[in-house]
Amino acid sequence: MHKKILFVSFFMLLLASCNSDENPAPKPLTFEPELLLRGWTYDAILWDGTLYAYDHNPNCYRDFFRFRNNNEQVYQFEETTFLNTICSSSQTVLTWEPVGNHINFYFGAGNKVDTYEIISLTTELLTYAIDRDIDKDGKNDHLIITAIPYDPYSSYGPKTKKNIQLKVFPTKLKF
């Protein structure tokens, strides 16, 4: 009888340690990650109820980012921003992971650095939300960003431009 109680106790402990909360089922995606696989450029930013144009350097290519996923660049994200009038650039390379309604970004082996909440994604428009302290008040501001396809080096397809008359957003978006 004592052995049965020990066995039942051990079995219950084993079941408790294999709780399904430790490995929750992955959240179903609300967007098609394949539609991300191209170059994009920032187009417009909605901040605090006002729609702004992104401030691209007129002497350079537009600031842009790319999502890749192939044998050589597995879930690779690259962002390029042009810093001055001679078009010096800064590039950030991260890995990305689609999860539910968002994309997680990682630097190195598992160090999560950012999240984009995907609002809408088609072949012609990417709309996502991020939180950044734009006005330097110590609190994150909620931004809605639209991006359009852009491929300055002809890696993906034709260049796309959009002409909207908006005020210029006051700062660059960077990781």
Side-chain angles (χ1 to χ4, degrees):
M1 182 73 165
H2 184 62
K3 287 183 180 182
K4 284 185 179 180
I5 292 173
L6 275 173
F7 177 74
V8 170
S9 297
F10 176 76
F11 186 72
M12 296 300 283
L13 283 172
L14 181 64
L15 284 177
S17 69
C18 296
N19 189 340
S20 64
D21 291 341
E22 289 179 16
N23 296 316
K27 295 178 182 178
L29 292 174
T30 61
F31 61 95
E32 294 179 48
E34 297 79 30
L35 295 176
L36 290 169
L37 302 179
R38 66 185 70 237
W40 299 91
T41 186
Y42 303 105
D43 188 45
I45 300 167
L46 180 64
W47 175 41
D48 200 24
T50 303
L51 189 62
Y52 296 89
Y54 183 82
D55 186 20
H56 293 284
N57 185 334
N59 300 319
C60 310
Y61 288 121
R62 299 171 123 219
D63 293 348
F64 66 97
F65 54 97
R66 312 179 216 199
F67 288 90
R68 299 182 189 273
N69 189 19
N70 56 49
N71 289 337
E72 293 81 30
Q73 298 156 319
V74 178
Y75 287 104
Q76 182 178 338
F77 173 85
E78 302 168 25
E79 178 187 52
T80 302
T81 54
F82 295 95
L83 306 173
N84 51 40
T85 58
I86 61 169
C87 300
S88 299
S89 65
S90 172
Q91 187 174 42
T92 302
V93 179
L94 303 169
T95 56
W96 61 281
E97 171 190 37
V99 180
N101 69 339
H102 62 277
I103 302 167
N104 291 329
F105 293 92
Y106 300 91
F107 182 75
N111 297 317
K112 186 174 166 185
V113 294
D114 205 2
T115 299
Y116 287 5
E117 177 189 349
I118 303 299
I119 296 169
S120 175
L121 175 60
T122 68
T123 57
E124 298 301 317
L125 187 68
L126 166 60
T127 304
Y128 63 95
I130 60 173
D131 294 317
R132 298 277 190 285
D133 184 9
I134 296 301
D135 53 9
K136 308 290 186 223
D137 65 356
K139 298 179 205 165
N140 278 340
D141 300 292
H142 191 69
L143 306 173
I144 307 291
I145 297 158
T146 58
I148 56 176
Y150 182 68
D151 188 15
Y153 306 119
S154 299
S155 302
Y156 296 93
K159 297 178 187 177
T160 305
K161 290 188 176 183
K162 188 174 179 183
N163 294 324
I164 295 179
Q165 298 301 320
L166 300 173
K167 293 187 271 182
V168 174
F169 194 66
T171 186
K172 293 281 187 183
L173 292 178
K174 290 180 64 174
F175 276 100

